[in-house]
Amino acid sequence: MVTEPEIRETPASGGRPRAAVVRDALGVGVAVGLSGFAFGVTAAGAGISTLQACVLSLLVFTGASQFALVGALAAGGNPFTAAAGAFFLGTRNAFYGLRLSQLLRLPRAVRPLAAHWVIDETTAVALAQPDRKSARLGFTVTGLTLYALWNITTLLGALGAEAIGDTRAWGLDAAGPAVFLALLAPMLKTATERAVAALALVLGLGFLPVLPAGVPVLIAALAAPVVLWMKGRRS
């Protein structure tokens, strides 16, 4: 479990240098934001129009949920099942919001806008800061950079996929899952997290041949409570 830093309103050291916070936030925002290209390509391969893909990135703006949705649709899944899987993946952002609301303490007027940027990357950058001022700066720069790049590259990816035609002929249908795994792998730092990922993989692949598209994703979500229950029994 990651230990969160103690947040002080006005640290004696004056907080972390702004340049260092901005540099780290831009690094995360650019690195992940460029992955929107893979989402645009994947969405086009799933039969989603460029407009629909762009609206998803503008309004949903949570990569894992977006990839899960278009992946299930590409496999022929029911739209409601696909949406349910995407929704369950997105619920983690609500828990991030509970922590960030205490950490950032933003003015009420900007909270609805800031809530749209509460995702894995902005949360990680904000929690890594030693004081509230740096946390706010890191959250804002990461969110702004990532949101802008994600939407721009979604558009470019969807337009590019439409221009080349059949994305499967070029092997681009694998771009979405590859990016998703690349983003997930560095997060699996503890034995418990790796066990959850491994069990989710087994459940998802095991039920894939026998259940409708989208349903195996929901079953794979049971991996977390199962692993935590087994860990509790051993304690």
Side-chain angles (χ1 to χ4, degrees), residues 42-79:
T42 305
I48 294 176
S49 69
T50 298
L51 177 60
Q52 290 171 328
C54 291
V55 169
L56 275 173
S57 286
L58 284 168
L59 300 183
V60 178
F61 187 54
T62 171
S65 296
Q66 291 178 235
F67 277 119
L69 176 64
V70 299
L73 293 176
N78 183 288

Side-chain angles (χ1 to χ4, degrees), residues 107-189:
R108 290 183 180 274
V110 302
R111 288 179 188 175
L113 296 175
H116 194 49
W117 287 356
V118 175
I119 54 176
D120 298 328
E121 292 77 18
T122 54
T123 301
V125 171
L127 291 179
Q129 308 309 319
D131 60 274
R132 178 165 291 116
K133 184 177 180 180
S134 297
R136 286 180 173 180
L137 178 61
F139 175 86
T140 302
V141 174
T142 305
L144 179 61
T145 306
L146 183 48
Y147 188 72
L149 276 178
W150 182 267
N151 282 282
I152 292 172
T153 53
T154 292
L155 173 62
L156 295 177
L159 291 175
E162 285 188 354
I164 65 174
D166 186 4
T167 56
R168 296 188 179 186
W170 295 82
L172 295 179
D173 55 311
V179 170
F180 184 81
L181 291 176
L183 295 176
L184 175 65
M187 301 180 186
L188 306 178
K189 298 178 179 179

Side-chain angles (χ1 to χ4, degrees), residues 69 86 114 123 128 143 176 201 207 224 229:
L69 176 64
T123 301
L201 178 64
F207 285 99
W229 176 75

